Amino acid sequence: MRLEDAIVINCPSTRLYAMLSDVESHAALLPGYRESRIVEHIGNDCVLQREAIINGTLRRWKSQVHFEQERALHFRQLEGPFEGMRVLWDLEPKGAATELRIVHEVSIKPWWKKWWMELVIAKPAIERTARIVLESIKMAAEARVPL
């Protein structure tokens, strides 16, 4: 299952990338996040320990993040119910603004509950969370841009 959402942010892509690539600040940036801490470095990638309150429930998981300099962040969930999920934060310059696109690639296992989990549970939760994340990043980035 592939889910996409995007938003235009009135912030240059280089500044937005600098803000987003500071992955340990995500706890202050993203709603519900309580922790985003680097626990391991693997070449140019790193492993994050993350904790967030999602739909009223405290969740902990690890994600690996790959940095595509000035362009994108690629996340892969290493554990939890969405283990293997890939998330792309893609930045596309639009003049003085930037389009931030979030793409989720989800594959639920085992196969026999895939359709139910993906369409009934995962899809609405991921779409809602992605929209909240995009709007939070927009608000934070635009507040940091000097007039």
Side-chain angles (χ1 to χ4, degrees):
M1 174 175 64
R2 180 181 171 95
L3 302 170
E4 285 190 42
D5 199 355
I7 199 165
V8 174
I9 300 172
N10 294 316
C11 176
S13 63
T14 54
R15 281 197 194 161
L16 185 58
Y17 180 84
M19 184 178 91
L20 297 178
S21 64
D22 180 6
V23 292
E24 290 192 306
S25 74
H26 286 187
L29 178 64
L30 304 175
Y33 274 64
R34 300 168 62 115
E35 178 182 36
S36 183
R37 179 174 47 92
I38 296 173
V39 294
E40 183 181 356
H41 290 275
I42 305 169
N44 291 332
D45 297 359
C46 61
V47 175
L48 302 171
Q49 176 65 58
R50 302 191 120 182
E51 182 178 279
I53 297 173
I54 300 171
N55 295 328
T57 303
L58 182 63
R59 306 275 187 200
R60 288 182 60 83
W61 71 96
K62 287 185 180 170
S63 294
Q64 184 171 343
V65 61
H66 171 74
F67 302 92
E68 188 178 334
Q69 196 64 34
E70 303 295 326
R71 178 69 187 152
L73 281 80
H74 302 263
F75 298 91
R76 182 173 56 90
Q77 291 228 172
L78 301 176
E79 60 189 29
F82 294 114
E83 181 178 346
M85 177 173 71
R86 295 186 180 276
V87 181
L88 168 66
W89 289 7
D90 183 56
L91 289 79
E92 179 71 34
K94 301 282 185 187
T98 306
E99 181 181 68
L100 175 60
R101 185 171 56 101
I102 296 181
V103 179
H104 288 83
E105 294 279 350
V106 184
S107 182
I108 304 292
K109 295 174 185 167
W111 66 268
W112 51 269
K113 65 177 174 179
K114 179 181 175 77
W115 71 271
W116 169 259
M117 288 291 289
E118 284 185 355
L119 294 177
V120 176
I121 297 173
K123 185 177 187 293
I126 291 170
E127 287 175 333
R128 182 175 50 253
T129 301
R131 177 50 35 188
I132 291 168
V133 164
L134 286 168
E135 290 172 1
S136 296
I137 291 170
K138 177 180 176 71
M139 194 166 57
E142 290 179 354
R144 295 180 187 187
V145 175
L147 299 176

